[in-house]
Amino acid sequence: MSTDAEVIEQSWRDPAAFSTLFDRHAPALHRYVTRRLGDSLADDVVADTFLAAFRRRDRYDVRHTDARPWLYGMAANLIGKHRRSEVRSYQALARTGVDDVVESYADRVDARVSASAAQRDLARALAELSPDEREVLLMIAWADLGYEEVAQALGIPVGTVRSRLHRARKKTRAALGGMNPTDVDEENDHG
């Protein structure tokens, strides 16, 4: 199987090859964006992310074999344009306990489970994080990117990723009564 870098390189000569990158990463990226912004905006953000990636593919650094950080970085910029919507959805979840995203992805099998107090507390904590802290925490927790990948995606040093993640975890842990908001070990660097 070709690496993402090889696919992008191939797309320089054969633009249709870029569809392989879409097939590989669009489903996970869509789930991530849906969790951040909800279903109504996810399709547009994912489409815009891949359109931007296609247009910028000639500038991709092929030394990076995995394009996920590049794609999530572009998605982060687009999500940033919808920050108010994201914060409003977390605030609504904190108030009501109803998470439309979880319901749609869990096939609405027990909607009452998604209305738990811990979920409300987490939504409240996410709404109160700074945009930079929220971005790092959710890329680690929901997109399953490592510290190096988040740094690459956001164009910041790994140390900044670590400090933002530390602050975000501390705040969310306090909101959740001491429970860790991610299951990622702080010493684990994924990559």
Side-chain angles (χ1 to χ4, degrees):
M1 180 155 102
S2 301
T3 66
D4 292 344
E6 291 167 341
V7 169
I8 292 169
E9 256 185 316
Q10 182 183 356
S11 78
W12 297 341
R13 296 175 302 282
D14 175 15
F18 196 82
S19 66
T20 299
L21 202 65
F22 181 87
D23 294 342
R24 269 184 202 169
H25 299 296
L29 186 62
H30 192 275
R31 282 188 300 276
Y32 175 74
V33 175
T34 300
R35 290 187 81 177
R36 298 283 307 268
L37 299 175
D39 245 354
S40 64
L41 294 171
D43 289 341
D44 290 340
V45 169
V46 171
D48 290 346
T49 297
F50 278 94
L51 179 60
F54 181 79
R55 289 179 176 160
R56 296 178 190 151
R57 73 189 190 284
D58 61 325
R59 295 180 290 212
Y60 184 78
D61 183 351
V62 293
R63 292 176 296 175
H64 300 288
T65 58
D66 183 0
R68 286 181 322 136
W70 182 59
L71 294 168
Y72 279 88
M74 283 185 258
N77 289 333
L78 294 166
I79 288 169
K81 295 177 181 178
H82 299 282
R83 281 209 207 288
R84 276 183 263 176
S85 296
E86 180 182 31
V87 170
R88 276 194 305 269
S89 70
Y90 292 139
Q91 290 168 338
L93 174 58
R95 277 190 318 277
T96 66
V98 176
D99 185 347
D100 294 329
V101 173
V102 170
E103 288 180 39
S104 66
Y105 276 99
D107 296 323
R108 304 185 193 302
V109 173
D110 187 357
R112 291 188 178 98
V113 171
S114 70
S116 71
Q119 194 170 25
R120 289 180 188 169
D121 292 341
L122 178 59
R124 188 174 297 110
L126 289 173
E128 292 174 3
L129 292 175
S130 76
D132 292 338
E133 292 166 344
R134 184 170 45 250
E135 196 70 62
V136 168
L137 178 69
L138 297 181
M139 280 190 174
I140 296 279
W142 290 350
D144 199 29
L145 297 179
Y147 296 172
E148 291 282 342
E149 294 167 318
V150 172
Q152 182 185 344
L154 299 177
I156 58 176
V158 173
T160 303
V161 170
R162 289 181 185 280
S163 64
R164 287 179 186 174
L165 182 61
H166 177 75
R167 286 191 308 270
R169 282 180 170 158
K170 185 176 178 181
K171 290 174 183 177
T172 54
R173 194 176 288 128
L176 296 174
M179 186 173 70
N180 190 348
T182 66
D183 56 339
V184 177
D185 185 318
E186 201 150 310
E187 295 305 316
N188 183 6
D189 193 25
H190 288 298

